[in-house]
Amino acid sequence: MSAPKLVDMFGRLWRAEGQTRAARSVEYFGYVDFTLGLLLLLDPWLSVTLLHVPALTEQGENYLRLVGLLVSGLGLLYIVSGRLNAEGFVFASLVDRPMVPGVMAVLWYKDILPGPLALAFSISDFSGFLWTLSAWQKDERLGAYQRPQLLARIVAAGFAYVSGVVRNARTFHPDGRVMRASVRALEARDTDLARAGERLAGAVLLRMGMGLMKRGAPRWLAKIIPDAPSIACRFFGVAAPDENGLQRRLGEDLDLLCTAGGDRLWKLVLNLTTGGWMHGLERFDYFKNVYYSQVRYWVAEGGPDLWIRLVPGGEAGAASPHDDAGRELQLTQAIAEHQVLKIEAQRAGARNAGWMAFAEIRFEDEIQIDQEALHFDPVEGRGFRPTGFLTYLRKVVYPASVARRPPTKIERVRRDGAGIFVRLREYFAGYSSARSARNSGEYSAGSSAGYSGHPTSATLSLVMTSDGDGAVPRKHRWLKIFCWSLLVLLVVLTLYLAVRFTRDQPVEYSDNVLHFMYGSTGGERRDGIPYWYWVALPELFPEYLPDKKAGRGYSSFGMIYEKGKDPRYDLPVGVSMRNFRGIDVVYLNCAVCHTGTVRDAPGSEPRVVPGMPANTFDLGAWGQFLTAVPVDQKFSGQRLMDQIEKMQDDAHRRAPKPDFINGLILRYLAADLMRDQLIILRQRLGFIDKSSWGPGRVDTFNAPKALLNFPMEHADPKELMGNADFPSIWNQGPREGMQLHWDGNNTSVNERNLSAAYGTGAYPPTLDVPLVLRTAKWLETAKPIAYPYPIDAALALKGAAIYQQYCTSCHGTREAPFHHTPPQAGERVGTVVPIADIGTDRSRLDSYTWALAVNQSTLYAGYENDWGFDKPYPQRFSHFKKTQGYANSPLDGIWLRAPYLHNGSVPNLRELLEPSAARTKVFYRGDDVYDPENVGFAFGVAQRDGKSCFLFDTTKRGNGNSGHEGPGYGTSLSPEEKRELLEYLKMF
């Protein structure tokens, strides 16, 4: 037995003829395997994400690519074998695939394959086995399988959709003119062609028109789109008196479709897509074109394979037309003059052979019919059988298109008026062309006898034939179930995504103190960092941390982690979390700058004190970290996800592991967005020297200038340094009406709160009003903790008198409301002292400008109505103003507010009672070990418990420690009086 030719095998592979159901299931399973293999081969990282496989090493990545190569090769083998209907291979797959789960289990047990990947292979192979087994049994019961190829069904569904829904007419050749004609055979030296001509002799029905539909397109567009004339012929021999050629008789009549513009379909398509100027294409002249069938025809009784074309026998009219109207006028004249078309043939396989005429068509007269009731199907007839894949495709596509498009002109008008959604509904409901034809058929007579104005049995049968030329209305139950299931799935998916991507759920706390420490202000909505990025960054970029050590979260910045919390996963005090648009994101809140710690001795457990200045937190260093990592080449979604996958299974995590959607977002989108935002922030705030801040300090008002688009490159140099200590924020209720901030630039507590919220990313559109109001309400009455160390009551009593004499007029009484009722003469608590009188460093005062105050008065404009900011929140800021000094603030919790003065330049209260010349010039900030003797924090060590402190030099710009000195400020008191005053201040 000789082997078949390779070209024949490729032909069988392409056509997949006679394929059994079992073989087709093997083919489709091959596509699944091939796709899975390509996924593993081309993007193993995506596969790892989808299957939740542990992070890959470089060797593991190459191993997974090798697995992908093998699986895709096996899939290709399944595809080829299935299409060739290889029965032996199909049977072998039934034996092979049930063993795959066992093999995968062994590989997983031996740690050769990850569990999720082994499970994926097991499920796919065993499911494929069950599919093929079911198909094999179905083949046994039902026999041969006649279903069209998948590609043909897809194309047919596409044409049916376009014809029935989009165009509401034929996809191509939508309209034309119909005429009767006659065919006679010509004498031919080739006897095969002579017999072929005799087969076609008799009557023929012609339709001539343009190939593309342009109805509804703008006139200017219709003019520039190239088009090709076409001719459709129905050869139906000698017509009986009651026959009109509208109904194609199965096996007897031949429909021949010919189009100008190229002798092969690909040439025609190329011609039209490049402007329609090749192959002699004449858009406005039917009779200067040559019309090609574009498929081969096999002629019965041992006849040849032929390519067929129609050639006009001569020009019609005196001049060639130049527009659509002229072309149609020319056709009318040609019909009247009985123009002739020659039918020519060329033997297949002989491209250089000449074309020989073997028959000719003579126009007789034009008839008027409903164009929608006439359709041509290029299938076998009169001994001519079309061949090739295009013919196969047409046999599937044409009936599908006819079944979905309107069967009559009236029906087309009705469906045009009903709109595309009605057509879409009818399309999925299995629209019945035949039913519509019975109800609204239209058939009008022209000049020829035998045609009446009412539908005939032939007209109705046109759309009811069951041989493939017409459309049998079939409501495919499986298709409707699939479509409805798909619709339900899409609705459910849409609702799920809508809920997911509109989610806005902060983590809330019932306790007010916990709410202050961890509750949201709304900043996560715009500036939020994905929780899993937050925990991954210190692990992935330890070189940018102050201590350069991973595994400690953000501790090296002085952020506070309460006892028992894991800094790698838990959030520090002052960081809130919210699920926003389906992702858990975190950002700062008020407590990050207004919560500190106090320790009795090195190594002791710290007290966490809400409301006090964040004495250990270096906001500048944290900002430098965030703006340094995005320019590192390691900052990518892939590297971040690798780190996340190493950490996501830990029980200490505060958020669920990234699911499929979040995994894709974190890997492919979020890192790029975060990088862009941080780089922009780095550029806009680049003029601020954050390294000069140190723990417990911030340049309060220079960042707002940049965010308000001030041209800081042109700013006065004296306003570029505004470093100041974080203030305490207890007892906000009694402070209403006082001049707030260090320079007293506002008298509204609510405006001050909203202004401070900008630092947490809470802008007018993103502010979480109820949560911020809750914090503000708590702060109205929040109290500092009592001094925890011994107080000499006798000394404190003496100190009270000294305080009354030297301090009360400026700083008020020890208890709220910090002033006497009625006010005493000279009481100035909460008012501004001119800079010339107080004498402290003026850099912070100069950094706040009149221009900034004016611009701040535009903030929150118009948001009262939009966001429900009822009183006490204003519609817009109106209390900011430029001052010329620093404000006298109450001294509640003064023992917790070291270092002292607005810039933190005096390490403790004892030194504040000394002249500036006697104050320490250089000391360390950031230690939380308390010094009860001097009333302040320890300042003499560079490092404590593995954490570096910040070297503070009072000789540098903005750090001056002069001022608040002289007889009126207590610096001239005796040492004993100073001791007595300090003892009393411990009671605040």
Side-chain angles (χ1 to χ4, degrees):
M1 179 179 179
S2 60
K5 294 182 179 179
L6 283 177
V7 66
D8 293 336
M9 292 302 296
F10 278 111
R12 286 180 54 193
L13 180 64
W14 173 255
R15 293 188 299 273
E17 293 176 345
Q19 194 178 29
T20 63
R21 296 177 181 84
R24 181 154 294 184
S25 73
V26 168
E27 178 192 349
Y28 290 170
F29 176 78
Y31 292 127
V32 174
D33 256 13
F34 185 72
T35 303
L36 180 59
L38 281 184
L39 186 65
L40 294 173
L41 176 64
L42 300 178
D43 194 350
W45 295 104
L46 178 60
S47 308
V48 165
T49 301
L50 295 175
L51 298 172
H52 289 277
V53 174
L56 294 174
T57 62
E58 183 176 356
Q59 182 179 3
E61 178 184 351
N62 293 332
Y63 171 71
L64 200 56
R65 290 185 188 275
L66 178 60
V67 172
L69 182 63
L70 295 174
V71 171
S72 59
L74 183 62
L76 192 60
L77 180 61
Y78 272 84
I79 294 170
V80 172
S81 299
R83 291 189 66 82
L84 290 177
N85 204 27
E87 188 177 81
F89 185 90
V90 173
F91 176 76
S93 74
L94 287 173
V95 176
D96 164 70
R97 283 181 286 177
M99 296 188 289
V100 170
V103 174
M104 292 296 112
V106 172
L107 294 178
W108 167 72
Y109 181 76
K110 295 290 186 180
D111 286 330
I112 298 175
L113 270 185
L117 188 60
L119 182 62
F121 283 138
S122 299
I123 292 174
S124 66
D125 277 75
F126 197 74
S127 299
F129 158 73
L130 294 177
W131 184 10
T132 303
L133 179 63
S134 173
W136 188 290
Q137 292 172 341
K138 200 169 185 179
D139 284 331
E140 290 178 347
R141 294 194 313 270
L142 304 179
Y145 185 57
Q146 299 296 331
R147 195 178 190 186
Q149 293 184 27
L150 177 63
L151 175 61
R153 299 202 310 274
I154 293 174
V155 174
F159 273 84
Y161 180 81
V162 171
S163 298
V165 179
V166 179
R167 290 192 179 278
N168 193 32
R170 293 180 181 88
T171 304
F172 298 112
H173 319 290
D175 296 297
R177 297 171 63 180
V178 181
M179 59 215 71
R180 294 186 308 175
S182 58
V183 183
R184 71 180 182 90
L186 300 179
E187 293 184 4
R189 290 171 300 189
D190 190 317
T191 56
D192 291 331
L193 290 181
R195 284 196 298 270
E198 293 171 358
R199 291 179 178 276
L200 297 181
V204 62
L205 191 69
L206 298 179
R207 184 182 67 199
M208 296 184 69
M210 303 304 290
L212 300 180
M213 168 179 279
K214 299 179 183 178
R215 181 166 52 88
R219 183 173 298 178
W220 63 269
L221 181 62
K223 286 183 178 180
I224 63 175
I225 296 177
D227 205 346
S230 64
I231 301 177
C233 313
R234 174 164 294 157
F235 299 93
F236 59 95
V238 178
D242 61 342
E243 291 180 333
N244 49 41
L246 293 180
Q247 178 189 8
R248 184 178 63 81
R249 296 169 299 188
L250 180 62
E252 296 184 29
D253 299 341
L254 170 66
D255 286 355
L256 177 69
L257 304 183
C258 298
T259 305
D263 59 347
R264 299 293 185 270
L265 181 62
W266 68 266
K267 292 183 180 180
L268 172 61
V269 173
L270 179 63
N271 193 0
L272 294 178
T273 55
T274 54
W277 54 270
M278 297 185 292
H279 308 295
L281 180 60
E282 294 288 344
R283 172 179 172 181
F284 300 120
D285 193 330
Y286 285 122
F287 297 95
K288 284 189 176 180
N289 289 288
V290 177
Y291 301 84
Y292 294 91
S293 65
Q294 296 165 347
V295 297
R296 289 188 308 174
Y297 281 86
W298 176 81
V299 183
E301 298 178 4
D305 282 356
L306 302 175
W307 294 99
I308 297 176
R309 70 180 187 181
L310 304 178
V311 181
E315 294 187 3
S320 181
H322 299 287
D323 55 24
D324 294 333
R327 179 189 60 225
E328 299 307 318
L329 182 62
Q330 180 198 48
L331 179 58
T332 300
Q333 184 177 353
I335 296 171
E337 296 176 354
H338 305 294
Q339 177 69 288
V340 172
L341 298 175
K342 291 185 178 181
I343 307 176
E344 297 183 352
Q346 179 189 59
R347 287 184 178 269
R351 295 297 301 271
N352 296 324
W355 291 83
M356 293 177 286
F358 65 94
E360 68 177 16
I361 299 172
R362 180 179 183 271
F363 292 174
E364 299 296 342
D365 55 5
E366 185 173 5
I367 58 177
Q368 304 299 319
I369 67 167
D370 184 348
Q371 288 289 328
E372 298 300 336
L374 175 64
H375 57 273
F376 292 83
D377 293 312
V379 294
E380 183 176 2
R382 305 201 67 77
F384 286 75
R385 179 166 63 88
T387 61
F389 182 73
L390 179 58
T391 297
Y392 170 77
L393 205 59
R394 282 173 166 175
K395 290 180 180 179
V396 180
V397 169
Y398 275 52
S401 175
V402 171
R404 290 295 186 262
R405 73 181 190 232
T408 67
K409 183 177 181 180
I410 289 179
E411 181 66 5
R412 185 165 90 176
V413 172
R414 182 194 71 81
R415 292 172 67 179
D416 272 338
I420 191 170
F421 292 106
V422 173
R423 298 198 296 270
L424 187 64
R425 185 191 65 203
E426 292 177 346
Y427 171 80
F428 284 114
Y431 180 81
S432 172
S433 297
R435 181 177 65 251
S436 300
R438 292 188 183 96
N439 295 335
S440 55
E442 181 183 356
Y443 186 109
S444 60
S447 59
S448 303
Y451 291 88
S452 66
H454 303 283
T456 65
S457 59
T459 309
L460 295 178
S461 65
L462 173 68
V463 294
M464 295 186 62
T465 54
S466 59
D467 58 307
D469 63 327
V472 178
R474 292 189 303 168
K475 296 186 178 181
H476 298 291
R477 184 174 181 83
W478 65 267
L479 179 60
K480 294 175 66 176
I481 293 174
F482 171 78
C483 292
W484 279 110
S485 301
L486 182 61
L487 180 61
V488 170
L489 179 63
L490 289 175
V491 169
V492 171
L493 180 61
T494 301
L495 291 175
Y496 168 75
L497 293 177
V499 170
R500 181 188 183 105
F501 290 121
T502 57
R503 188 180 301 155
D504 185 11
Q505 185 176 352
V507 177
E508 299 195 52
Y509 302 85
S510 58
D511 181 77
N512 284 332
V513 176
L514 288 177
H515 171 72
F516 171 75
M517 294 168 63
Y518 298 104
S520 173
T521 65
E524 309 95 334
R525 290 168 171 162
R526 183 184 182 278
D527 294 337
I529 300 170
Y531 167 80
W532 283 108
Y533 279 8
W534 172 270
V535 301
L537 287 175
E539 305 299 314
L540 191 58
F541 300 98
E543 64 270 27
Y544 297 107
L545 298 174
D547 61 1
K548 305 188 185 306
K549 295 179 181 178
R552 301 180 60 210
Y554 295 85
S555 300
S556 60
F557 297 110
M559 285 185 157
I560 302 168
Y561 291 90
E562 293 188 278
K563 184 178 180 180
K565 292 195 173 182
D566 187 340
R568 295 174 303 158
Y569 294 95
D570 282 304
L571 299 181
V573 172
V575 176
S576 59
M577 183 161 71
R578 161 188 306 262
N579 190 287
F580 186 62
R581 294 177 180 170
I583 296 182
D584 292 302
V585 290
V586 302
Y587 202 62
L588 309 181
N589 69 7
C590 303
V592 76
C593 297
H594 302 291
T595 298
T597 56
V598 179
R599 287 191 294 168
D600 299 335
S604 64
E605 193 66 32
R607 296 182 185 88
V608 179
V609 185
M612 72 172 280
N615 55 325
T616 63
F617 177 43
D618 193 339
L619 178 60
W622 182 77
Q624 287 179 303
F625 171 79
L626 280 187
T627 54
V629 295
V631 297
D632 191 296
Q633 63 179 357
K634 291 189 296 182
F635 192 90
S636 67
Q638 184 61 61
R639 294 294 296 273
L640 284 164
M641 279 302 298
D642 290 345
Q643 182 62 42
I644 290 168
E645 287 162 357
K646 294 177 183 178
M647 305 176 70
Q648 64 184 6
D649 295 317
D650 196 285
H652 293 94
R653 67 176 187 265
R654 286 289 309 277
K657 294 190 292 185
D659 58 15
F660 173 69
I661 295 176
N662 284 349
L664 293 178
I665 293 173
L666 294 176
R667 187 183 300 276
Y668 296 108
L669 178 62
D672 294 330
L673 295 177
M674 184 174 172
R675 179 192 297 108
D676 291 345
Q677 288 184 322
L678 291 176
I679 289 177
I680 291 172
L681 194 65
R682 173 188 176 119
Q683 293 170 342
R684 297 189 74 174
L685 303 183
F687 68 94
I688 300 175
D689 181 11
K690 292 186 282 291
S691 65
S692 67
W693 296 359
R697 299 209 309 167
V698 65
D699 187 336
T700 311
F701 287 108
N702 271 319
K705 294 175 190 175
L707 298 178
L708 287 168
N709 295 316
F710 279 34
M712 297 307 296
E713 65 274 15
H714 303 300
D716 188 336
K718 72 179 183 180
E719 68 174 89
L720 296 180
M721 172 57 70
N723 295 348
D725 267 21
F726 299 138
S728 62
I729 54 173
W730 305 290
N731 292 308
Q732 291 300 299
R735 282 174 162 81
E736 182 65 43
M738 294 183 182
Q739 290 188 266
L740 308 171
H741 290 138
W742 290 111
D743 58 346
N745 61 19
N746 197 298
T747 58
S748 168
V749 169
N750 290 307
E751 282 191 19
R752 199 280 312 276
N753 290 341
L754 290 176
S755 175
Y758 274 83
T760 69
Y763 309 113
T766 61
L767 185 79
D768 195 322
V769 179
L771 298 186
V772 173
L773 278 173
R774 181 183 174 189
T775 296
K777 188 68 176 177
W778 177 75
L779 289 175
E780 288 178 1
T781 57
K783 307 292 183 185
I785 64 172
Y787 187 76
Y789 309 107
I791 297 176
D792 189 319
L795 288 178
L797 184 60
K798 294 178 181 179
I802 298 171
Y803 181 85
Q804 177 67 29
Q805 179 181 354
Y806 285 93
C807 309
T808 301
S809 62
C810 288
H811 295 292
T813 60
R814 181 167 69 94
E815 300 290 344
F818 309 119
H819 57 75
H820 294 91
T821 304
Q824 297 180 354
E827 201 167 51
R828 296 180 293 169
V829 62
T831 64
V832 170
V833 178
I835 187 66
D837 295 341
I838 191 68
T840 51
D841 189 293
R842 66 174 297 130
S843 295
R844 164 64 181 80
L845 177 65
D846 292 337
S847 74
Y848 189 81
T849 63
W850 175 85
L852 179 57
V854 170
N855 277 268
Q856 283 182 297
S857 295
T858 67
L859 301 177
Y860 276 91
Y863 275 88
E864 181 175 291
N865 294 331
D866 291 344
W867 294 93
F869 290 173
D870 298 326
K871 292 181 178 181
Y873 278 6
Q875 182 170 358
R876 61 186 292 169
F877 290 171
S878 59
H879 291 77
F880 278 101
K881 63 181 181 179
K882 173 63 182 169
T883 67
Q884 300 301 323
Y886 291 110
N888 296 321
S889 64
L891 300 184
D892 47 337
I894 187 63
W895 67 275
L896 289 165
R897 290 154 65 174
Y900 297 98
L901 296 183
H902 71 274
N903 59 358
S905 58
V906 180
N908 52 56
L909 278 179
R910 183 172 296 278
E911 290 201 16
L912 188 61
L913 295 176
E914 301 294 336
S916 59
R919 296 169 182 169
T920 302
K921 303 299 182 186
V922 179
F923 61 92
Y924 288 97
R925 293 183 56 128
D927 200 342
D928 63 349
V929 174
Y930 202 74
D931 178 6
E933 181 68 21
N934 295 305
V935 192
F937 295 102
F939 61 88
V941 297
Q943 191 176 70
R944 179 84 72 186
D945 298 333
K947 179 182 178 297
S948 297
C949 296
F950 180 80
L951 184 65
F952 188 92
D953 188 346
T954 61
T955 64
K956 290 186 177 181
R957 181 184 175 195
N959 292 354
N961 65 354
S962 61
H964 201 276
E965 55 186 316
Y969 294 97
T971 57
S972 299
L973 295 172
S974 66
E976 184 62 24
E977 289 174 317
K978 291 178 180 178
R979 183 183 173 198
E980 292 168 352
L981 178 58
L982 288 178
E983 207 68 16
Y984 178 65
L985 291 174
K986 294 176 183 177
M987 300 176 66
F988 278 57

